Structure formats: structure tokens, C-alpha cells
Amino acid sequence: MTETEKYEPRLFADPAEIVRLGEGLLACELTREDWTHEAHLAACLWLIRERPDIAPERDLPAIIRRFNESVGGVNDDHQGYHETITQCYIAGVRSYLQRMRADADLLVLVNGLLQAPEGRRDWPLRFYSKERLFSVAARRSHVPPDISSAG
């Protein structure tokens, strides 16, 4: 069993925390420590569900890059924003939401996502080899899967 297979996600106790993460991402008001794997997924789901004015596939790259820079991060060939992982998880969140009731509670949805296959840290590796997923090309632009179709 790998480390990611052993990993238990940190679930949210309050929907207000999910809203804080989504709004904080947009306003660049989060700390670097706030921006966990769970926060990425919670903010993505919140954006899809609550912000129809934002198209995540189009807008999230610039939003994440801006946030990274706001906390002193660098977006380059080796760190910061990763286009293929972002687009893969957006597709995963959308796929997950298609299986759920449209009127489901935000907290239930986000915690369910974190426990679903699409919420796993290693979920993109179902579609991509490590070599392809962690390549400079995949960080800089969306590359197609080399194992199977994503989302």
C-alpha cells in the first residue's frame, strides 16, 4: 500500500469553512497553509456549484497562479500551478457532481468528494503515468492521458 492509499482526507465540519476557502482563494486572502489538497477540491466544487460566473476550466488557472504568487510562491517549470492536474481534478469534480443530487448540502457534497475516487490524491495516476503527469509539459499545458481517458 502506497502512502497516498493510506491517506485519510481531512473532512470539513462546517460549510462556512468551504465558503471561506472559495472566497479566500478568489480574494487571495488564504495562507499557504490553508491551500491543502482538500482545500483545492472544496474550492473547485464550491466554484462549480456557487459561482456560475466563473468557468473553472478557463478561469481557475489564472486564479490559482495569482493565489500562489500572493503567498510568495512561484509558478514555473518545477513548482506552483500545474495545468494537467488542475484540469483533471476539474473533470473529476464535475463527474462526481453528476452522480449527486443537485440540491445536496454543500458540506455533504464536499466531504463525499473527498472520500470518493475523484477526491484521492493519486486519482490522476489512474489516467497518467508519473512520468507524463509530472513532466514540464503537463505542468505548463494540458496534456492528454497516456493510460486511459480522464473524466
Side-chain angles (χ1 to χ4, degrees), residues 14-89:
D14 185 347
E17 178 63 9
I18 298 164
V19 173
R20 183 188 77 80
L21 290 168
E23 291 176 348
L25 171 63
L26 294 175
C28 293
E29 293 176 346
L30 302 175
T31 66
R32 186 183 296 236
E33 293 75 29
D34 284 331
W35 199 228
T36 63
H37 174 73
E38 293 87 355
H40 277 77
L41 293 174
C44 183
L45 190 148
W46 178 81
L47 285 167
I48 290 169
R49 184 170 168 182
E50 304 295 330
R51 292 295 304 266
D53 58 312
I54 294 174
E57 293 84 355
R58 180 193 69 214
D59 300 333
L60 204 48
I63 291 167
I64 294 173
R65 284 185 188 104
R66 186 178 67 237
F67 167 74
N68 287 345
E69 292 168 0
S70 79
V71 293
V74 174
N75 299 300
D76 65 17
D77 288 348
H78 307 289
Q79 59 189 332
Y81 180 74
H82 193 297
E83 177 72 9
T84 300
I85 290 175
T86 298
Q87 296 300 330
C88 186
Y89 274 111

Side-chain angles (χ1 to χ4, degrees), residues 1 27 29 55-56 69 74 86 90 93 95 100 102 118 123 132 143:
M1 190 175 286
E29 293 176 346
E69 292 168 0
V74 174
T86 298
I90 293 169
V93 172
S95 175
M100 307 308 291
E118 298 91 340
W123 185 71
R132 185 171 187 95
V143 298

Side-chain angles (χ1 to χ4, degrees), residues 91-102 151:
V93 172
R94 287 194 184 283
S95 175
Y96 167 78
L97 285 171
Q98 287 177 351
R99 298 192 310 268
M100 307 308 291
R101 287 186 26 223

Side-chain angles (χ1 to χ4, degrees), residues 131-150:
E131 296 75 24
R132 185 171 187 95
L133 186 62
F134 297 109
S135 68
V136 171
R139 179 176 290 282
R140 288 302 192 181
S141 63
H142 185 246
V143 298
D146 60 343
I147 295 175
S148 69
S149 295

